[in-house]
Amino acid sequence: MTDAQGGLRGWTAAREGKGVWSRLRFTSLRLRLVVVFGLVALTAAVSASGIAYWLNREAVLTRTQDAVLRDFEQEMQNRAGLLPERPTQDELQDTAGQMANSSQRFSVLLAARDADGRPVYGSSGALDGFTLADVPRSLRTAVDGRQGADSSDRAEYHLYWQRIVEDGTPYLIAGTRVIGGGPTGYMLKSLEPEAKDLNSLAWSLGIATALALIGSALLAQAAATTVLKPVQRLGVAARRLGEGRLDTRLRVSGTDELADLSRTFNKTAEALEKRVADMAGRDDASRRFVADMSHELRTPLTAITAVTEVLEEELEAETGSMDPMIEPAVRLVVSETRRLNDLVENLMEVTRFDAGTARLVLDDVDVADQITACIDARAWLDAVDLDAERGIVARLDPRRLDVILANLVGNALKHGGSPVRVTVGAADDSVVIAVRDHGPGIPEDVLPHVFDRFYKASASRPRSEGSGLGLSIALENAHIHGGEITAANSPEGGAVFTLRLPRDASVLAAETDETDEGDKEGDA
């Protein structure tokens, strides 16, 4: 008989709205846990259901088959065995009807030859008439085959059976011959009741499998929640730690691996907080040292500057009172004093930025006029070409804008030579100032470091006229306005520094003041 096979159909759940399923991403650990639990449960349920179905199917069919074959064999011995060797058709028909009325209620077909040697048949008449054409040829051949009798098996003919399917209904068909001569009998038994019972069993096992799958998904969700909650808390704590909240700690409960991970995180955060506090303390001490040193240097430096100014006047005087032998030394002292004075001023400015005490003093500034004043104050008019549209007004800190421009233009004159071209334009709510020289440009390996403090492009020339802080101070002044400075090489040659500042820095200045007031309240 062709076995009925049940197909398991997959199901898909649409993720709609907010809830548990909306949090399941295809790459999330939660979804992977649910899928693994589901696959394990599905495999176990399908295996158990398949084994249970196969065992029950074999038991049901074997029990029914054995009962039917045993009853048919007894009927053949008790009724067909009493027929004469050459029976008539009426005798066969009557005997077939009597055999069909047994407890198993099967159809019977008896075949023999009459006294004239002609084949005669007798059928119980059920199932639209059971005929020889309904018997498979292989079964007829096996039934008609004579067996060689030996000491262990003296029967010349055996009982043979086969399962077939007709129009979707399973049947058991069997046949044998009366030993010692007599008719051949065939039996046809419908297995439809057993098939229905097995189908009911298959549906029950399928429903049990589906319930097991749903239950495993719910258990997986519960397990995932139990496992992932500490992981989520750890992720939140790690983000807070990355945001600088070094006092973040996790609540530890239990003795499992996740609890050990939380303890490790807390120890790491504690060590990191201590290390950062130590570094902050050393950094504050370093800044205080630089600031104190700068202030302490200003007093003697003021006296030295006054002396060097007198010496410089003597050098410029036409009286010739300066001894030519010491004139180079005097000029060196004058230039180095100026350099030291600039270095001290720059260090004090840097310490203000590092300490967060730098503040904007805003005013409405005509950018073109401010650039012209900066160039004129430093006698750079002949070395700078200004291309600026008049009437571009921005609310900025004039002193800090002057510092930015002085550093950018001075750097261009020092390293690129004249003429330096300064262009001014307006874009959206910003002012864009570009300073371009006509020098060799900036090496590609130096570009990322041009704004670093004390950075020297050549290690073999550690000493230069500048302090190495000018561009860094210019960038800090741009940042305090909410702007930016970028450095690049022009396709036409030379370096280009582009300053972009907002047209109105009032909002940023107000936010900075509010932040400082909040910090003071927190400290209090």
Side-chain angles (χ1 to χ4, degrees), residues 34 76 125 134 138 154 172 187 201 223 247 280 291 303 309 353 355 452 462 509 514:
V34 172
M76 284 293 295
D134 297 325
S138 59
R154 298 183 178 277
L172 174 66
M187 177 275 302
L201 177 62
D247 59 342
E309 288 176 354
F353 283 119
D452 294 351
E514 291 177 0

Side-chain angles (χ1 to χ4, degrees), residues 8 23 62 69 73 84 131 147 166 173 202 222 267 404 416 419 421 424 435 443 468 499 515:
L8 295 176
R23 298 195 300 270
T62 300
L69 293 178
E73 191 173 16
T131 65
Q147 302 297 320
E166 291 290 341
I173 187 169
K267 292 179 181 178
I404 297 173
R421 184 173 181 81
V424 181
V435 179
L499 168 66
T515 302

Side-chain angles (χ1 to χ4, degrees), residues 20-247:
V20 173
W21 300 109
S22 63
R23 298 195 300 270
L24 294 182
R25 302 185 303 275
F26 286 107
T27 56
S28 69
L29 182 59
R30 183 185 299 272
L31 179 59
R32 280 182 281 176
L33 284 174
V34 172
V35 169
V36 169
F37 268 75
L39 289 176
V40 171
L42 182 62
T43 302
V46 169
S47 301
S49 299
I51 294 173
Y53 177 80
W54 181 79
L55 292 176
N56 280 275
R57 173 182 175 276
E58 289 301 316
V60 170
L61 293 178
T62 300
R63 183 173 60 251
T64 302
Q65 173 183 295
D66 291 346
V68 171
L69 293 178
R70 185 169 52 251
D71 194 18
F72 174 64
E73 191 173 16
Q74 290 177 355
E75 291 294 326
M76 284 293 295
Q77 293 175 0
N78 297 335
R79 298 186 184 276
L82 298 178
L83 290 172
E85 187 175 353
R86 299 288 183 174
T88 64
Q89 185 174 3
D90 292 338
E91 291 175 334
L92 291 177
Q93 189 76 26
D94 183 60
T95 302
Q98 294 176 5
M99 294 174 63
N101 290 328
S102 68
S103 61
Q104 295 298 326
R105 297 294 179 181
F106 43 70
S107 299
V108 177
L109 173 64
L110 296 177
R113 290 185 180 274
D114 59 10
D116 297 329
R118 293 175 301 179
V120 290
Y121 302 97
S123 175
S124 61
L127 299 174
D128 297 330
F130 181 29
T131 65
L132 195 61
D134 297 325
V135 181
R137 182 177 297 274
S138 59
L139 182 61
R140 283 182 284 167
T141 302
V143 170
D144 293 336
R146 184 187 296 268
Q147 302 297 320
D150 52 24
S151 59
S152 61
D153 188 1
R154 298 183 178 277
E156 295 180 306
Y157 299 99
H158 291 176
L159 175 65
Y160 294 93
W161 59 271
Q162 187 176 348
R163 295 174 191 166
I164 62 173
V165 177
E166 291 290 341
D167 298 329
T169 303
Y171 294 95
L172 174 66
I173 187 169
T176 186
R177 293 188 66 175
V178 176
I179 300 174
T184 301
Y186 294 98
M187 177 275 302
L188 183 67
K189 170 67 176 178
S190 174
L191 299 177
E192 186 174 5
E194 287 73 16
K196 289 182 179 180
D197 292 341
L198 292 175
N199 287 336
S200 299
L201 177 62
W203 274 104
S204 300
L205 293 176
I207 293 173
T209 300
L211 292 177
L213 187 60
I214 295 174
S216 68
L218 296 177
L219 289 176
Q221 175 65 22
T225 301
T226 303
V227 172
L228 294 181
K229 265 189 176 179
V231 176
Q232 291 172 350
R233 287 198 296 265
L234 181 61
V236 172
R239 283 192 295 271
R240 295 177 63 185
L241 196 65
E243 293 170 357
R245 304 175 68 174
L246 301 181
D247 59 342

Side-chain angles (χ1 to χ4, degrees), residues 236-267:
V236 172
R239 283 192 295 271
R240 295 177 63 185
L241 196 65
E243 293 170 357
R245 304 175 68 174
L246 301 181
D247 59 342
T248 301
R249 298 292 185 272
L250 288 173
R251 180 173 57 85
V252 180
S253 60
T255 58
D256 57 6
E257 289 81 357
L258 292 174
D260 292 340
L261 181 60
S262 299
R263 293 189 187 92
T264 302
F265 176 86
N266 289 341
K267 292 179 181 178

